Amino acid sequence: MTTERRTEHIPSGRARPRALAPPAWLLAGLRPTGAPVPWAAAVRAGIALAAPLAVGFALDEPEYGALVSMGALSGVIGDTADAYRMRILNIAVPQFFGAVGVALGTLVYGHGWLAVALLTLIALVSGMISSIGTVASVSGLLLLLNAVVGAGLPLPQPWWTAPLLLTAGGLFVLLLTLLGWPLRGRQPERAAVAACYRALADALEAAGGPPAAYEERRQRVTQALNHAYDLVLGRRARVHGRSPALVRLLAQLNVLIPLVEAAPAAHLRGRPLPATIPAAVRDLAAAVEDGHTRAPALELPAPHTPAERAMDAALRHAATIVHLPEPDPYNVDDRLGRPAALTVRARRGVRDMMLSGASWRYGLRLALCIGLAQSLVSLIPVERSYWVALTVTFVLKPDFGSVFSRALLRALGTAAGLVLAAAVLAEVPRGWWDVPVMVVLGALIPVFSAKGYAFQTAAITPVILLLSDQLNHQGFDLIRPRLLDSLIGCAITLIAGYLLWPESWRTRIGDRLADTVDDAARYLERAFAPVADEAARGAARQARLQARRRIYRELSGVRNEFQRALTEPPPTGARAAAWWPLVVAVERVVDATTAARVRVNHGAAPPAPEEVERITRELRALATGVRTSVTPVRVDVPPPEDPSSVLAPVHQEVAAARAIARPDN
């Protein structure tokens, strides 16, 4: 196994073919993704943004209609979940924080230093709570955004009017979203579980073939499992045992894990699987999605090797569970553990937030940038604008992507959006004509959001401008100041939020990747630890499965962080490209460990404890090297003493991981 085969996984397109060509990290952000058009979301967004505006015109209160549409805009942006129960949380909870934010902002409108101090404090809180989770991140975003809007726009009085109207807009989006619940029910969860089976079938088709094709499809399996478990387990702590449909879905998802474990062992055989095996997995996917309970006869080839026996046993067991009409709710194989109660998770999240250095760093960085932006528009004699702080808030979101590239993409997207807004403000009369225009512009938001950040910005910009024009009535005169405000906000973010906070490779990526390597070492130890009795064997297996899922989820997060770093200019982007092969190498180590454990479970000779200890030491040495090195350094590892050992592939993968050479300069 050579190091060269890992170079094929380094993201391409980083070289500049022509001297005057834009840098690759910028082109990567401007290139639209191939996501399908979300037609239902587009229709829902058009109705949600235009209907309140129409009601406002009908009641001769266009300002009220504009505020309700602004609240609907936040609901449209936050409606990113699939399962209906999760969509309630994703939309309703942030609306509460948004109402608090606009109420506080309204109270300090036009109060200079007081507005600066309050928005700076809100920015600190917003940044810190964004580290808790997805819903908290959106809640923190709306808390700050609405506070900025309240402090920068003349909103209707009394103070509670704007919070009430904005919340009504968000709840209107939620109502439109929930209209499909009686018809679709658990369909999003079923589709997510079925997608796991289809992704695994694709991976099994690639097993034994080129490593790049298999690893790409195995990544899709990991992403599908992450998504499905998030959906199915999201509300399970409250409804487990009381929802037969949820219990059945959980059983169908859990029974997929032995098949996922058998896949690396099948891949390491070096030859493709019979076509009947991926076809059988696809049949199971159809049964999951359609709810079939009649199990067809499986026609599988006779197994001979430990890997083949593992695949055969896992597939037959999955077929039995998938077609079982009513699994025992108290006998579901709880492989990954039941989530804690929501209150427990909330307390744990708040505690971790308060003790996290990264949370405080981001909160302080956001507070500094918002303080500078608000000082500029509140205290210096320039045209008052909330758009500067608004730009800072949108750009400075670490869980949304690279700060540097987002600042540039924000400027480009805003410029494109302002061109569209200028055409509308110049050619479309104000009044009822705004309603059909808003239908079109609102529908573009989900469509463009699926294509990338610059496209999303270009779609949101004209909507916000048209709605704010209903409040300040500046018309076409809004265009030039808003472009200037966006450029000022991007400049503040780049200087005070990026250049003054140079996050080292070791902080952003190195430590996280090193922790994952340490987890891989612990996983290897746990996989081959001696077991005293049958009860201990079951507990050890569950702990091993939980550890493996935790590693892959963490590696998925590391991959996302690398993708963000690759969109930044040197040296960060160059360092991320240099270390990228190690991410793939660690995934292969975990795969090889899983394959070895599966082979032992089905008849292969277990490894000697000394061999396990030696490979574990090599992994921990690799983790130490990641923590202490800025660029990869080649380390030669001796070949395995026994090439026939079940851990020989693991040793080869560890050796290849440590043999990643320093990139050419």
Side-chain angles (χ1 to χ4, degrees):
M1 187 171 297
T2 62
T3 305
E4 285 73 15
R5 72 169 183 156
R6 278 160 170 73
T7 60
E8 62 187 351
H9 298 285
I10 300 177
S12 59
R14 300 196 58 78
R16 292 176 59 180
R18 297 186 302 274
L20 298 180
W25 52 265
L26 179 59
L27 290 177
L30 292 173
R31 188 177 299 114
T33 63
V37 176
W39 293 109
V43 173
R44 188 164 54 246
I47 296 174
L49 291 174
L53 207 56
V55 174
F57 285 130
L59 298 178
D60 199 24
E61 294 288 353
E63 295 86 358
Y64 287 7
L67 283 173
V68 176
S69 292
M70 281 188 176
L73 175 62
S74 64
V76 168
I77 297 175
D79 185 17
T80 57
D82 289 329
Y84 286 99
R85 294 180 184 275
M86 294 183 66
R87 294 169 90 170
I88 294 176
L89 292 176
N90 281 13
I91 298 176
V93 174
Q95 292 305 316
F96 169 77
F97 285 87
V100 173
V102 75
L104 294 175
T106 302
L107 294 177
V108 297
Y109 172 74
H111 284 76
W113 279 112
L114 183 59
V116 173
L118 180 62
L119 288 183
T120 302
L121 178 61
I122 292 175
L124 174 64
V125 175
S126 169
M128 293 187 67
I129 67 176
S130 295
S131 65
I132 296 177
T134 303
V135 176
S137 178
V138 178
S139 300
L141 176 65
L142 280 190
L143 172 68
L144 181 56
L145 283 180
N146 286 3
V148 169
V149 170
L153 281 176
L155 299 180
Q157 294 297 322
W159 64 268
W160 47 263
T161 305
L164 183 64
L165 294 174
L166 288 170
T167 303
L171 295 180
F172 180 49
V173 175
L174 181 60
L175 175 63
L176 293 176
T177 300
L178 298 181
L179 289 178
W181 196 347
L183 300 176
R184 301 183 73 226
R186 293 276 178 197
Q187 184 176 342
E189 290 93 336
R190 287 200 304 271
V193 175
C196 294
Y197 280 82
R198 293 193 178 97
L200 179 60
D202 292 340
L204 293 177
E205 275 187 337
Y214 171 77
E215 286 159 9
E216 179 184 357
R217 298 187 182 189
R218 205 261 311 138
Q219 276 296 318
R220 296 176 188 170
V221 174
T222 299
Q223 294 167 1
L225 283 172
N226 289 344
H227 180 57
Y229 270 110
D230 286 342
L231 286 184
V232 175
L233 293 180
R235 300 282 292 176
R236 183 178 167 223
R238 293 186 60 185
V239 302
H240 178 69
R242 294 185 285 122
S243 173
L246 188 61
V247 170
R248 188 178 184 211
L249 281 173
L250 180 61
Q252 292 170 341
L253 186 56
N254 280 338
V255 80
L256 186 64
I257 300 301
L259 274 170
V260 174
E261 284 195 318
H267 176 61
L268 290 178
R269 298 184 323 154
R271 60 182 185 275
L273 287 168
T276 53
I277 292 179
V281 177
R282 286 199 175 90
D283 289 340
L284 294 180
V288 169
E289 195 161 27
D290 298 336
H292 293 166
T293 57
R294 288 178 294 180
L298 287 178
E299 298 181 359
L300 303 176
H304 301 288
T305 66
E308 292 173 352
R309 287 194 291 270
M311 180 63 65
D312 183 83
L315 186 51
R316 293 184 184 278
H317 182 52
T320 301
I321 298 300
V322 164
H323 294 95
L324 200 62
E326 296 181 2
D328 183 357
Y330 302 102
N331 193 31
V332 174
D333 190 2
D334 200 356
R335 297 182 182 276
L336 300 185
R338 187 179 304 183
L342 183 60
T343 54
V344 174
R345 282 179 284 169
R347 287 197 300 268
R348 188 183 303 158
V350 173
R351 181 197 61 200
D352 294 343
M353 174 195 72
M354 297 301 297
L355 300 178
S356 169
S359 174
W360 279 97
R361 280 194 302 271
Y362 173 54
L364 291 172
R365 183 169 58 168
L366 183 58
L368 173 63
C369 292
I370 291 295
L372 291 174
Q374 193 62 27
S375 297
L376 179 66
V377 301
S378 296
L379 306 177
I380 298 178
V382 296
E383 183 178 357
R384 179 183 303 278
S385 173
Y386 65 97
W387 203 269
V388 179
L390 210 66
T391 299
V392 170
T393 305
F394 271 118
V395 172
L396 201 57
K397 285 291 290 180
D399 50 333
F400 288 167
S402 162
V403 170
F404 191 94
S405 62
R406 280 172 62 86
L408 297 182
L409 295 175
R410 173 77 183 181
L412 295 174
T414 299
L418 288 175
V419 171
L420 179 58
V424 173
L425 291 173
E427 301 298 331
V428 179
R430 302 276 65 77
W432 280 99
W433 280 105
D434 287 336
V435 176
V437 170
M438 191 60 63
V439 171
V440 176
L441 294 179
L444 290 178
I445 292 177
V447 176
F448 279 26
S449 297
K451 301 299 180 183
Y453 178 70
F455 300 93
Q456 182 191 51
T457 302
I460 293 176
T461 297
V463 172
I464 296 180
L465 282 177
L466 292 179
L467 293 177
S468 61
D469 183 51
Q470 299 293 335
L471 300 173
N472 52 29
H473 306 289
Q474 291 183 350
F476 191 82
D477 294 336
L478 280 170
I479 302 300
R480 184 192 59 80
R482 291 302 174 262
L483 179 59
L484 180 61
D485 294 340
S486 293
L487 295 178
I488 293 174
C490 291
I492 290 174
T493 304
L494 288 177
I495 296 173
Y498 183 79
L499 296 178
L500 296 184
W501 299 76
E503 301 230 10
S504 66
W505 190 99
R506 193 170 298 110
T507 300
R508 286 187 56 194
I509 302 175
D511 284 347
R512 193 171 180 183
L513 180 56
D515 290 343
T516 306
V517 177
D518 278 332
D519 288 341
R522 285 191 290 271
Y523 175 60
L524 177 64
E525 287 179 325
R526 185 175 286 128
F528 296 99
V531 179
D533 52 32
E534 189 64 31
R537 184 176 293 108
R541 173 172 171 74
Q542 181 173 344
R544 185 172 67 251
L545 290 172
Q546 292 174 354
R548 180 178 176 274
R549 288 288 302 131
R550 186 164 51 249
I551 292 173
Y552 275 123
R553 185 178 284 271
E554 182 62 23
L555 280 170
S556 180
V558 171
R559 275 180 171 265
N560 291 336
E561 188 62 46
F562 266 98
Q563 294 294 341
R564 295 169 189 164
L566 288 169
T567 62
E568 296 185 12
T572 303
R575 289 175 181 172
W579 283 96
W580 176 266
L582 185 57
V583 179
V584 180
V586 175
E587 291 171 341
R588 285 176 168 167
V589 169
V590 178
D591 268 353
T593 303
T594 301
R597 181 66 255 182
V598 168
R599 291 175 60 198
V600 169
N601 289 345
H602 290 82
E610 296 79 12
E611 186 179 10
V612 175
E613 182 181 357
R614 182 158 63 95
I615 299 177
T616 301
R617 284 200 307 269
E618 293 171 1
L619 282 171
R620 293 207 166 101
L622 174 61
T624 301
V626 173
R627 289 191 175 94
T628 57
S629 301
V630 176
T631 56
V633 178
R634 182 184 181 90
V635 177
D636 292 322
V637 177
E641 297 177 357
D642 182 9
S644 63
S645 168
V646 72
L647 287 184
V650 181
H651 193 286
Q652 291 173 346
E653 295 295 350
V654 173
R658 302 200 67 191
I660 293 174
R662 185 191 303 270
D664 295 332
N665 294 322

